[in-house]
Amino acid sequence: MKYVIVFFYVILSMNQKISAEDFQIDVSDSNMYKPELLQDLPDAAISNQIITKKKLDQINAQKISDLIQLDSSLSESYSSVGYSDSVSVRGITLNSQNNYLRDGLPFLVDAPVQFENKSRVEIIKGTYGILSGLSSPGGIINYVTEKPTTNANMSSNTKIKTELTSAGQFGAQLGTNSFWGADQKYLYRFDLAATKLSTNLKNSAGKKYLASFSFKSKPVENLTVDTNIESSYQSQASQPGFSMLGSKIPTDINPDINLNNQSWTQPVEFTNLIGAVKINYEFNKNTKISVSALGQNILTNDRVAFPFGCTAESVFDRYCSDGTFDVYDFRSENEKRKNNVVQFYLNHQFEFLKTQNKISLSYQNRNVTEIFDKQAYNYSGIGSIDGNSQTPENSILSDENTNKKFSADELTFFHQLQYQKISTTMGLKYASISKKSIRTNETRATDIKQNFMLPWATLSYTNENNLIYTSYSEGIESYVTPNKLGYSYPGQNIPDAVSRQIELGFKNTNKNIYGFSLFYMTRPQIEDSAPIYTIDGQQKNIGAEINSEVIFDNYKFDISGLFLQAKTENAEINKIKNNKTTINTPQTKIKIGLDYNFESIQGLSLNSIYHFSSERFMTADNNLTLPSWMTLNVGCQYLWNKTNTISLRIDNLTDNKYWKESPTQFGHIYLFPGVSRQLTAIYSSNLN
């Protein structure tokens, strides 16, 4: 951070003649993620999806798993009400600490991400070590915050929004932009939101709050400064999953039953504070530098009546045949997580021998600290899937936890060369990482250091609005044996797990947008079956993605599909996985969206989203299958006076009962039901 302050001071000290025009700030919010890409996402040789604010509002997005209905490459991956959920991309679950960005900087999603102050979500698919070296290979999700924007003819621009659902959830939010100074040299934005959380799921009432402030200025010529601070809080009882009953998948389950329904159940609480600053300076039209920093503190009180296994039948990956299960009183309070990031970028472009060249040199330092107290994980009694059983609390803090420290220094070089319509890019990332851990009783200390190099290359051809490309990329995942009893070598480092991907794609970005991509990905598989924790074989994902957005008269069709074959090969320890489809991975996903604007009633439109997910295998031997499912969401919107909008939306119109996913966590197979039918009404207004 001290380097940021010194840089800022030096720039401000420059003695230059500045006109009023030099202070004019570009107030558009079009800066997509492109530190190394040096291109906007639609023009880059990668597969991507940009989910706009309009689309987020249309589905009333509350969490990341809501986005699966907008992009077929996304799937549920332990998506629980009241907790920080996660998703998989191209069949790979994203890592909560390394696969998510906020305005291009890595941040932790170990607390729920609030959408009220987000302008869009950018999904970058595939293994792209050049963008985020230490991460799961499925892809990267970048949340873009609302930036200060205003109209030169107005002193401010304010929007209010309210929501009400049939489950009793009520929320209100306020966003306002303004500026001071005749030349609009200083812009600022406030976002405030409060929501009384209530879902169809019983015993899941809660609340959440958000306050965000953004500031943008141009204090001297060629220099812009963006700052943002965001504070959020969420308190809500979480949702444990159901499971198999012996060897059977339960049917006729009420999806609104919450198994976390003991008299002593307490909500999970998340307090999340994030501050960020970005300084851009243009030496000239060809050379730019930027300095960015982000700090994040998360405080969590994690509490749940946790169902796990069946002692009566000596099985611990599912529930008992009669619908009962063991209940544990889990409490891990005062969890502290800190994430600090500093980035430096130098971007330069030049012409050489009739070729256009763009280069980027960047350095990033990141430190993540996790500090815990003792936790409770104590047997409480017997629960049942009808949700009627009660057990006594057992909150003794007797289980040791593990404190962790992670630091990484990354140096990245990127070169793009373009000759006429042909472009090639080459990137190389060098990273040095350090991982330390120690139990809360100061035993089993570990100290691990690693270095790695990751390449990335693309070749593309552009003709008007058409882009054909191929790419090769590598990424790395770092594993450490859990520092717990029961493992042969607790705290031991696992050799580098390098993922590789080859992709061939086509994109068109004209009025009618469509694209197609083929990908081949390999990823080392971890065998986690205490006392064993090691790499055993590899996961091979071969797939195709299609997307199309076509506008015809008053109709707009939006179609996307994922066709995936995800297999395990070369396993030596758990050979039963060989040539079997990986668990909780649908092989086919299809989304069809249709919007219609009425000519006879100006401002009225209808929209619908059909979502299909094929069967998923629940066990490594593929003997148990979760049936395929489909949902239909419909809505309408009416805009009048160009400032007021009311929207009505029905999720799961047919009230279909289905199991949406079957993730395995801690060696236990869980089942999460799809949400039952719900009506949402939203009113928003631009006040000026």
Side-chain angles (χ1 to χ4, degrees):
M1 183 62 69
K2 64 181 180 180
Y3 299 107
V4 177
I5 297 173
V6 170
F7 173 80
F8 188 50
Y9 174 78
V10 171
I11 296 299
L12 287 178
S13 301
M14 292 181 177
N15 182 16
Q16 304 181 50
K17 293 183 179 181
I18 306 170
S19 64
E21 288 76 11
D22 295 325
F23 284 112
Q24 194 69 30
I25 297 177
D26 179 10
V27 298
S28 64
D29 186 20
S30 60
N31 296 319
M32 300 180 182
Y33 175 68
K34 54 177 180 180
E36 292 101 346
L37 295 177
L38 299 174
Q39 293 175 293
D40 287 337
L41 288 178
D43 301 321
I46 58 175
S47 179
N48 66 276
Q49 169 75 283
I50 300 171
I51 300 177
T52 63
K53 183 69 171 178
K54 182 179 179 180
K55 291 182 179 179
L56 293 174
D57 288 343
Q58 188 179 81
I59 66 170
N60 193 33
Q62 302 286 315
K63 53 185 181 177
I64 184 62
S65 58
D66 289 338
L67 305 187
I68 65 167
Q69 58 188 295
L70 298 178
D71 191 319
S72 294
S73 66
L74 274 65
S75 293
E76 304 86 348
S77 188
Y78 204 90
S79 175
S80 168
V81 171
Y83 209 72
S84 53
D85 63 342
S86 61
V87 296
S88 67
V89 179
R90 291 183 171 178
I92 305 292
T93 300
L94 302 190
N95 183 282
S96 66
Q97 296 193 352
N98 298 313
N99 283 78
Y100 295 86
L101 307 175
R102 183 183 185 274
D103 293 330
L105 294 174
F107 81 121
L108 310 178
V109 295
D110 295 287
V113 178
Q114 309 294 350
F115 279 82
E116 287 84 355
N117 69 331
K118 305 301 184 293
S119 65
R120 65 179 176 275
V121 178
E122 300 169 351
I123 303 171
I124 303 171
K125 305 171 187 179
T127 307
Y128 292 106
I130 194 70
L131 302 180
S132 182
L134 189 68
S135 60
S136 297
I140 298 166
I141 293 181
N142 181 39
Y143 295 91
V144 182
T145 59
E146 293 273 17
K147 303 299 189 299
T149 61
T150 190
N151 190 314
N153 299 321
M154 299 179 182
S155 59
S156 64
N157 184 9
T158 302
K159 182 177 182 179
I160 60 172
K161 177 182 175 183
T162 60
E163 64 162 303
L164 177 65
T165 73
S166 58
Q169 179 162 304
F170 176 76
Q173 64 185 83
L174 167 72
T176 182
N177 293 276
S178 192
F179 64 91
W180 68 81
D183 48 15
Q184 299 189 32
K185 184 168 61 174
Y186 302 105
L187 307 178
Y188 63 88
R189 177 184 178 88
F190 288 99
D191 285 283
L192 302 173
T195 304
K196 172 185 173 292
L197 298 170
S198 181
T199 69
N200 290 331
L201 184 72
K202 299 177 181 178
N203 307 295
S204 65
K207 55 189 175 183
K208 67 176 182 178
Y209 308 105
L210 170 79
S212 176
F213 173 74
S214 299
F215 179 74
K216 187 170 186 176
S217 65
K218 191 171 185 179
V220 297
E221 185 180 8
N222 298 332
L223 176 69
T224 59
V225 180
D226 286 278
T227 60
N228 172 266
I229 185 168
E230 173 185 328
S231 177
S232 64
Y233 172 80
Q234 178 171 314
S235 173
Q236 187 177 21
S238 60
Q239 172 196 21
F242 288 85
S243 187
M244 293 185 298
L245 307 183
S247 60
K248 298 181 180 179
I249 300 174
T251 57
D252 299 323
I253 293 293
N254 182 352
D256 299 337
I257 290 177
N258 190 353
L259 301 181
N260 182 22
N261 62 349
Q262 300 301 313
S263 60
W264 42 268
T265 292
Q266 297 185 60
V268 182
E269 295 180 290
F270 299 97
T271 303
N272 192 8
L273 178 64
I274 303 176
V277 59
K278 183 173 184 178
I279 303 171
N280 290 306
Y281 183 75
E282 297 185 13
F283 289 99
N284 50 57
K285 65 178 182 179
N286 295 322
T287 306
K288 304 175 183 178
I289 63 172
S290 69
V291 182
S292 305
L294 180 145
Q296 180 183 18
N297 287 348
I298 299 176
L299 177 64
T300 305
N301 293 319
D302 191 356
R303 299 166 296 214
V304 63
F306 192 62
F308 190 93
C310 173
T311 301
E313 297 179 2
S314 299
V315 292
F316 301 98
D317 65 345
R318 63 196 70 187
Y319 297 164
C320 302
S321 303
D322 62 359
T324 61
F325 49 81
D326 299 342
V327 177
Y328 292 83
D329 186 340
F330 175 78
R331 305 176 193 229
S332 180
E333 300 186 339
N334 202 34
E335 297 180 354
K336 300 184 183 70
R337 293 177 173 87
K338 295 184 178 181
N339 173 55
N340 295 299
V341 186
V342 177
Q343 280 186 351
F344 299 85
Y345 278 98
L346 170 63
N347 297 332
H348 180 66
Q349 61 182 11
F350 60 95
E351 183 176 348
F352 179 71
L353 297 179
K354 297 183 179 181
T355 64
Q356 300 297 321
N357 295 263
K358 296 180 181 179
I359 61 172
S360 171
L361 183 65
S362 66
Y363 167 76
Q364 176 180 290
N365 172 263
R366 187 184 186 200
N367 293 278
V368 177
T369 304
E370 298 176 89
I371 300 176
F372 305 98
D373 295 333
K374 278 188 175 183
Q375 64 184 15
Y377 184 67
N378 305 316
Y379 179 76
S380 174
I382 302 296
S384 60
I385 60 172
D386 59 14
N388 293 327
S389 61
Q390 289 291 310
T391 65
E393 65 178 307
N394 188 356
S395 58
I396 299 174
L397 302 177
S398 57
D399 191 18
E400 300 293 341
N401 218 317
T402 303
N403 297 325
K404 302 174 185 177
K405 291 184 178 180
F406 167 82
S407 64
D409 292 285
E410 299 183 7
L411 184 64
T412 306
F413 175 76
F414 183 92
H415 181 207
Q416 180 184 73
L417 184 150
Q418 182 171 350
Y419 176 72
Q420 296 181 355
K421 298 180 180 181
I422 298 176
S423 177
T424 181
T425 59
M426 293 171 287
L428 186 66
K429 180 187 291 289
Y430 168 79
S432 175
I433 65 175
S434 172
K435 295 175 288 186
K436 298 180 180 180
S437 70
I438 190 169
R439 299 284 281 176
T440 47
N441 61 359
E442 298 186 351
T443 62
R444 300 190 216 156
T446 66
D447 189 350
I448 300 165
K449 292 180 173 57
Q450 294 175 286
N451 301 300
F452 55 87
M453 301 282 287
L454 296 172
W456 185 43
T458 70
L459 177 65
S460 62
Y461 173 82
T462 304
N463 182 12
E464 295 181 352
N465 295 312
N466 299 311
L467 173 67
I468 302 173
Y469 68 90
T470 183
S471 67
Y472 172 81
S473 57
E474 294 184 6
I476 192 168
E477 295 176 271
S478 182
Y479 295 101
V480 176
T481 304
N483 199 359
K484 297 181 179 180
L485 292 174
Y487 289 94
S488 297
Y489 304 100
Q492 175 178 282
N493 184 53
I494 302 300
D496 297 345
V498 178
S499 300
R500 297 175 173 87
Q501 179 181 276
I502 298 173
E503 182 170 337
L504 175 66
F506 167 79
K507 295 195 291 188
N508 178 284
T509 58
N510 203 346
K511 177 182 178 181
N512 295 324
I513 300 172
Y514 49 91
F516 176 78
S517 63
L518 298 170
F519 59 89
Y520 173 86
M521 181 194 306
T522 60
R523 177 204 193 195
Q525 281 272 58
I526 286 290
E527 177 63 27
D528 183 2
S529 54
I532 297 172
Y533 190 91
T534 187
I535 291 177
D536 185 33
Q538 66 178 6
Q539 179 178 342
K540 181 185 293 184
N541 286 14
I542 303 174
E545 288 178 338
I546 60 171
N547 64 84
S548 178
E549 186 176 292
V550 179
I551 299 175
F552 179 73
D553 290 337
N554 295 333
Y555 295 90
K556 178 181 176 183
F557 295 91
D558 187 3
I559 302 172
S560 73
L562 172 68
F563 307 93
L564 177 67
Q565 183 185 76
K567 301 283 188 180
T568 299
E569 296 183 345
N570 304 320
E572 297 291 337
I573 299 173
N574 192 357
K575 295 184 179 181
I576 199 172
K577 298 188 299 183
N578 284 329
N579 300 315
K580 300 294 195 303
T581 299
T582 56
I583 60 173
N584 198 33
T585 305
Q587 299 182 67
T588 303
K589 292 199 69 184
I590 297 173
K591 183 266 294 188
I592 302 175
L594 172 62
D595 292 6
Y596 176 73
N597 294 315
F598 285 87
E599 285 186 353
S600 57
I601 307 176
Q602 188 173 4
L604 179 64
S605 62
L606 301 178
N607 60 79
S608 64
I609 298 177
Y610 168 81
H611 186 206
F612 169 80
S613 180
S614 67
E615 63 183 14
R616 305 177 187 218
F617 292 106
M618 301 174 61
T619 55
D621 58 11
N622 288 181
N623 285 336
L624 280 174
T625 304
L626 198 69
S628 61
W629 54 267
M630 62 186 70
T631 60
L632 177 63
N633 303 330
V634 298
C636 65
Q637 180 175 285
Y638 181 60
L639 169 68
W640 74 96
N641 296 333
K642 297 183 180 180
T643 59
N644 299 283
T645 304
I646 187 168
S647 302
L648 296 176
R649 173 181 171 83
I650 303 177
D651 291 303
N652 194 3
L653 177 66
T654 59
D655 203 20
N656 187 25
K657 302 295 190 294
Y658 63 97
W659 297 112
K660 65 178 181 178
E661 63 163 330
S662 57
T664 296
Q665 288 285 330
F666 317 113
H668 195 287
I669 301 169
Y670 286 101
L671 290 168
F672 284 96
V675 297
S676 55
R677 181 168 51 214
Q678 177 174 283
L679 171 66
T680 301
I682 298 175
Y683 168 77
S684 62
S685 177
N686 292 310
L687 300 183
N688 49 21

